Amino acid sequence: MSGRQRRRVLAGIALAISLFMFGFGALARDSQAKVQGVSQSDPARVLAPLPPPRPSRLAPQADSTANGNLLEQRVPAVPSTCIRAFEESGGFVLPSQNGASTGECAIEDPVTFQRLTMPDGSRIELDSAITVRCSLALEVLAWIRDDLAALARQENARLAKLTGVGGYACRSRYADTGAPISEHASGNALDVGGLLMQDGRAVAFAGQEPLSRSMRDAVQKSVCQRFATVLGPGADSSHKDHLHLDMRQRSRGFRICQWTVE
Ligand SMILES: [Zn+2]
Protein backbone atom coordinates (compact mmCIF):
# COMPACT_ATOMS: atom_id res chain seq x y z
CA MET A 1 0.00 0.00 0.00
CA SER A 2 1.35 3.39 -1.02
CA GLY A 3 1.59 6.29 1.37
CA ARG A 4 -1.35 7.98 -0.38
CA GLN A 5 -3.53 4.91 -0.06
CA ARG A 6 -2.58 4.59 3.64
CA ARG A 7 -3.65 8.24 4.31
CA ARG A 8 -7.00 7.59 2.59
CA VAL A 9 -7.61 4.51 4.72
CA LEU A 10 -6.69 6.39 7.92
CA ALA A 11 -8.94 9.33 6.92
CA GLY A 12 -11.79 6.87 6.31
CA ILE A 13 -11.31 5.23 9.72
CA ALA A 14 -11.26 8.67 11.42
CA LEU A 15 -14.48 9.65 9.62
CA ALA A 16 -16.16 6.40 10.65
CA ILE A 17 -15.15 6.92 14.29
CA SER A 18 -16.47 10.53 14.24
CA LEU A 19 -19.82 9.46 12.75
CA PHE A 20 -20.13 6.67 15.31
CA MET A 21 -19.41 9.02 18.25
CA PHE A 22 -21.91 11.62 16.96
CA GLY A 23 -24.64 8.99 16.57
CA PHE A 24 -24.04 7.55 20.03
CA GLY A 25 -24.18 10.99 21.63
CA ALA A 26 -27.49 11.82 19.94
CA LEU A 27 -28.92 8.47 21.03
CA ALA A 28 -27.85 9.12 24.65
CA ARG A 29 -29.46 12.59 24.68
CA ASP A 30 -32.62 11.14 23.19
CA SER A 31 -32.78 8.50 25.97
CA GLN A 32 -32.27 11.15 28.65
CA ALA A 33 -35.03 13.29 27.21
CA LYS A 34 -37.43 10.37 27.23
CA VAL A 35 -36.61 9.50 30.83
CA GLN A 36 -37.21 13.07 31.93
CA GLY A 37 -40.39 13.29 29.94
CA VAL A 38 -39.56 16.44 28.01
CA SER A 39 -39.06 17.24 24.38
CA GLN A 40 -35.60 16.97 22.89
CA SER A 41 -36.33 20.25 21.13
CA ASP A 42 -35.90 22.04 24.50
CA PRO A 43 -32.23 21.44 25.34
CA ALA A 44 -32.29 23.78 28.38
CA ARG A 45 -34.90 21.60 30.08
CA VAL A 46 -33.09 18.44 29.07
CA LEU A 47 -29.96 19.60 30.86
CA ALA A 48 -31.71 21.00 33.99
CA PRO A 49 -31.56 18.51 36.92
CA LEU A 50 -34.97 17.31 38.06
CA PRO A 51 -35.93 17.25 41.75
CA PRO A 52 -36.34 13.85 43.38
CA PRO A 53 -39.83 12.36 42.95
CA ARG A 54 -42.33 13.46 45.63
CA PRO A 55 -43.40 10.52 47.78
CA SER A 56 -47.09 9.68 47.32
CA ARG A 57 -47.64 9.71 51.12
CA LEU A 58 -45.52 11.95 53.30
CA ALA A 59 -43.86 10.14 56.16
CA PRO A 60 -44.78 11.47 59.66
CA GLN A 61 -42.33 13.89 61.21
CA ALA A 62 -40.40 12.41 64.10
CA ASP A 63 -40.22 14.41 67.30
CA SER A 64 -36.74 15.50 68.21
CA THR A 65 -35.41 16.42 71.59
CA ALA A 66 -33.05 19.26 72.41
CA ASN A 67 -30.01 17.03 72.11
CA GLY A 68 -31.12 15.83 68.70
CA ASN A 69 -32.15 12.29 69.59
CA LEU A 70 -35.13 11.04 67.65
CA LEU A 71 -38.03 9.76 69.70
CA GLU A 72 -39.65 6.56 68.57
CA GLN A 73 -42.87 7.15 66.67
CA ARG A 74 -45.97 5.84 68.38
CA VAL A 75 -48.27 4.22 65.83
CA PRO A 76 -51.79 4.36 67.31
CA ALA A 77 -54.23 1.57 66.58
CA VAL A 78 -56.98 2.68 64.27
CA PRO A 79 -59.89 3.78 66.51
CA SER A 80 -63.36 2.44 65.78
CA THR A 81 -66.13 4.64 64.41
CA CYS A 82 -67.67 4.62 67.89
CA ILE A 83 -64.47 5.75 69.60
CA ARG A 84 -63.99 8.52 67.05
CA ALA A 85 -67.58 9.65 67.74
CA PHE A 86 -66.87 9.53 71.49
CA GLU A 87 -63.77 11.69 71.08
CA GLU A 88 -65.50 14.13 68.73
CA SER A 89 -68.27 14.50 71.34
CA GLY A 90 -65.78 15.53 74.04
CA GLY A 91 -64.59 12.20 75.45
CA PHE A 92 -60.89 12.01 76.35
CA VAL A 93 -59.74 8.43 75.73
CA LEU A 94 -56.99 7.04 77.95
CA PRO A 95 -54.75 4.06 77.11
CA SER A 96 -56.75 0.85 77.45
CA GLN A 97 -56.63 -0.83 80.85
CA ASN A 98 -58.66 -3.93 80.12
CA GLY A 99 -58.18 -4.72 76.44
CA ALA A 100 -56.88 -8.27 76.75
CA SER A 101 -59.82 -9.94 78.54
CA THR A 102 -61.48 -12.87 76.81
CA GLY A 103 -64.48 -15.18 77.11
CA GLU A 104 -67.34 -13.98 79.32
CA CYS A 105 -65.20 -11.10 80.49
CA ALA A 106 -64.38 -9.74 77.03
CA ILE A 107 -65.31 -6.14 76.25
CA GLU A 108 -66.40 -5.26 72.75
CA ASP A 109 -64.68 -2.06 71.60
CA PRO A 110 -63.45 -0.99 75.07
CA VAL A 111 -62.83 2.64 75.94
CA THR A 112 -61.16 3.94 79.10
CA PHE A 113 -61.90 7.50 80.17
CA GLN A 114 -62.11 9.84 83.14
CA ARG A 115 -62.71 13.27 81.61
CA LEU A 116 -65.30 14.79 79.31
CA THR A 117 -65.30 18.22 77.70
CA MET A 118 -68.71 19.86 77.40
CA PRO A 119 -69.79 21.93 74.36
CA ASP A 120 -69.15 25.14 76.37
CA GLY A 121 -65.56 24.03 77.01
CA SER A 122 -66.05 23.13 80.68
CA ARG A 123 -64.80 19.77 81.95
CA ILE A 124 -66.62 17.12 83.92
CA GLU A 125 -64.64 14.31 85.50
CA LEU A 126 -65.23 10.90 87.01
CA ASP A 127 -63.51 10.40 90.36
CA SER A 128 -61.59 7.50 88.81
CA ALA A 129 -60.97 6.24 85.28
CA ILE A 130 -63.33 3.51 84.10
CA THR A 131 -63.38 1.11 81.19
CA VAL A 132 -66.66 0.28 79.46
CA ARG A 133 -67.72 -0.78 75.98
CA CYS A 134 -67.80 2.17 73.63
CA SER A 135 -71.57 2.06 73.04
CA LEU A 136 -72.13 2.54 76.79
CA ALA A 137 -69.45 5.26 76.96
CA LEU A 138 -71.37 7.20 74.29
CA GLU A 139 -74.61 6.83 76.28
CA VAL A 140 -72.93 7.92 79.52
CA LEU A 141 -71.41 10.93 77.77
CA ALA A 142 -74.83 11.94 76.41
CA TRP A 143 -76.43 11.40 79.85
CA ILE A 144 -73.88 13.67 81.53
CA ARG A 145 -73.95 16.33 78.81
CA ASP A 146 -77.67 16.44 78.03
CA ASP A 147 -79.24 15.47 81.36
CA LEU A 148 -76.97 15.88 84.39
CA ALA A 149 -75.27 19.16 83.37
CA ALA A 150 -78.68 20.65 82.53
CA LEU A 151 -80.21 19.43 85.82
CA ALA A 152 -77.32 21.00 87.73
CA ARG A 153 -77.93 24.35 86.01
CA GLN A 154 -81.57 24.15 87.11
CA GLU A 155 -80.23 23.96 90.67
CA ASN A 156 -78.04 27.03 90.00
CA ALA A 157 -74.96 24.84 90.08
CA ARG A 158 -72.29 23.60 87.67
CA LEU A 159 -71.60 19.88 87.59
CA ALA A 160 -67.92 19.08 88.25
CA LYS A 161 -67.62 15.38 89.00
CA LEU A 162 -69.36 12.01 89.22
CA THR A 163 -68.33 10.24 92.42
CA GLY A 164 -68.13 6.59 93.40
CA VAL A 165 -67.91 5.40 89.79
CA GLY A 166 -67.18 1.86 88.62
CA GLY A 167 -67.14 0.26 85.19
CA TYR A 168 -65.60 -2.96 83.96
CA ALA A 169 -65.27 -5.79 86.48
CA CYS A 170 -64.98 -9.48 85.64
CA ARG A 171 -67.44 -10.87 88.18
CA SER A 172 -70.88 -12.33 88.76
CA ARG A 173 -73.90 -10.21 89.72
CA TYR A 174 -73.82 -9.02 93.34
CA ALA A 175 -70.27 -10.48 93.48
CA ASP A 176 -71.99 -13.81 94.20
CA THR A 177 -70.13 -16.79 92.74
CA GLY A 178 -73.39 -18.66 92.04
CA ALA A 179 -75.10 -15.76 90.28
CA PRO A 180 -75.13 -15.13 86.51
CA ILE A 181 -72.34 -13.06 85.03
CA SER A 182 -72.67 -9.32 85.62
CA GLU A 183 -73.14 -6.73 82.88
CA HIS A 184 -69.98 -5.18 84.39
CA ALA A 185 -68.05 -8.19 83.06
CA SER A 186 -68.73 -7.16 79.47
CA GLY A 187 -68.21 -3.45 80.09
CA ASN A 188 -71.93 -2.79 79.70
CA ALA A 189 -72.61 -1.25 83.14
CA LEU A 190 -71.77 1.84 85.17
CA ASP A 191 -71.98 2.33 88.94
CA VAL A 192 -72.18 5.86 90.32
CA GLY A 193 -72.65 7.05 93.89
CA GLY A 194 -73.39 10.75 93.49
CA LEU A 195 -72.53 14.12 92.00
CA LEU A 196 -70.22 16.92 93.04
CA MET A 197 -70.81 20.52 91.97
CA GLN A 198 -68.12 23.13 91.30
CA ASP A 199 -69.17 25.06 94.43
CA GLY A 200 -68.58 21.96 96.56
CA ARG A 201 -72.18 20.88 96.96
CA ALA A 202 -72.61 17.11 96.80
CA VAL A 203 -75.65 15.10 95.74
CA ALA A 204 -75.55 11.55 97.12
CA PHE A 205 -77.99 9.30 95.28
CA ALA A 206 -78.54 7.30 98.45
CA GLY A 207 -78.68 10.28 100.75
CA GLN A 208 -81.62 11.97 102.41
CA GLU A 209 -80.44 15.60 102.40
CA PRO A 210 -83.40 17.81 101.59
CA LEU A 211 -81.21 20.06 99.44
CA SER A 212 -80.60 17.34 96.88
CA ARG A 213 -84.04 15.69 96.91
CA SER A 214 -85.28 17.55 93.83
CA MET A 215 -82.04 16.69 92.03
CA ARG A 216 -82.37 13.01 92.90
CA ASP A 217 -85.96 12.99 91.60
CA ALA A 218 -84.81 14.53 88.33
CA VAL A 219 -81.87 12.14 88.01
CA GLN A 220 -84.16 9.16 88.59
CA LYS A 221 -86.41 10.27 85.76
CA SER A 222 -83.45 10.71 83.39
CA VAL A 223 -81.73 7.38 84.13
CA CYS A 224 -84.94 5.36 83.87
CA GLN A 225 -85.62 6.89 80.46
CA ARG A 226 -82.09 6.38 79.19
CA PHE A 227 -80.79 3.06 80.59
CA ALA A 228 -82.21 -0.47 80.29
CA THR A 229 -81.48 -1.31 83.94
CA VAL A 230 -81.51 1.04 86.93
CA LEU A 231 -80.90 -0.46 90.37
CA GLY A 232 -80.52 1.87 93.33
CA PRO A 233 -81.55 2.31 96.96
CA GLY A 234 -84.67 0.26 97.56
CA ALA A 235 -83.85 -2.35 94.89
CA ASP A 236 -81.75 -4.71 97.04
CA SER A 237 -79.00 -4.67 99.63
CA SER A 238 -76.25 -4.55 97.00
CA HIS A 239 -77.43 -1.18 95.68
CA LYS A 240 -78.34 0.68 98.85
CA ASP A 241 -75.53 3.21 98.43
CA HIS A 242 -75.15 3.66 94.66
CA LEU A 243 -76.85 3.44 91.29
CA HIS A 244 -76.21 0.59 88.86
CA LEU A 245 -76.93 1.56 85.26
CA ASP A 246 -76.60 -0.78 82.29
CA MET A 247 -77.73 -1.31 78.70
CA ARG A 248 -78.61 -5.00 78.97
CA GLN A 249 -80.76 -6.10 76.06
CA ARG A 250 -83.90 -8.02 76.99
CA SER A 251 -86.68 -9.46 74.89
CA ARG A 252 -89.33 -6.97 73.81
CA GLY A 253 -87.17 -4.13 75.14
CA PHE A 254 -88.09 -4.89 78.77
CA ARG A 255 -86.52 -2.43 81.20
CA ILE A 256 -85.96 -2.35 84.95
CA CYS A 257 -86.20 0.86 87.00
CA GLN A 258 -85.81 0.14 90.71
CA TRP A 259 -84.74 3.17 92.73
CA THR A 260 -86.76 4.49 95.65
CA VAL A 261 -85.80 8.15 96.10
CA GLU A 262 -86.03 9.21 99.74
ZN1 LIG B 1 -73.25 -2.25 89.04
Side-chain angles (χ1 to χ4, degrees), residues 147-201:
D147 295 3
L148 292 185
L151 292 175
R153 283 194 294 273
Q154 288 175 17
E155 300 279 325
N156 296 316
R158 304 261 298 177
L159 180 61
K161 190 174 281 189
L162 274 66
T163 56
V165 298
Y168 173 79
C170 182
R171 61 171 171 80
S172 303
R173 292 181 207 168
Y174 318 113
D176 179 344
T177 52
I181 195 79
S182 166
E183 290 296 305
H184 285 283
S186 54
N188 199 28
L190 169 74
D191 288 340
V192 53
L195 308 175
L196 184 65
M197 305 300 160
Q198 286 183 6
D199 60 11
R201 277 186 286 172

Side-chain angles (χ1 to χ4, degrees), residues 61-96:
Q61 296 290 316
D63 292 332
S64 59
T65 59
N67 62 12
N69 292 332
L70 290 179
L71 298 175
E72 189 179 346
Q73 285 283 309
R74 280 199 314 147
V75 181
V78 177
S80 68
T81 303
C82 175
I83 289 178
R84 284 204 301 274
F86 180 74
E87 291 182 309
E88 287 165 5
S89 301
F92 185 79
V93 177
L94 298 169
S96 177

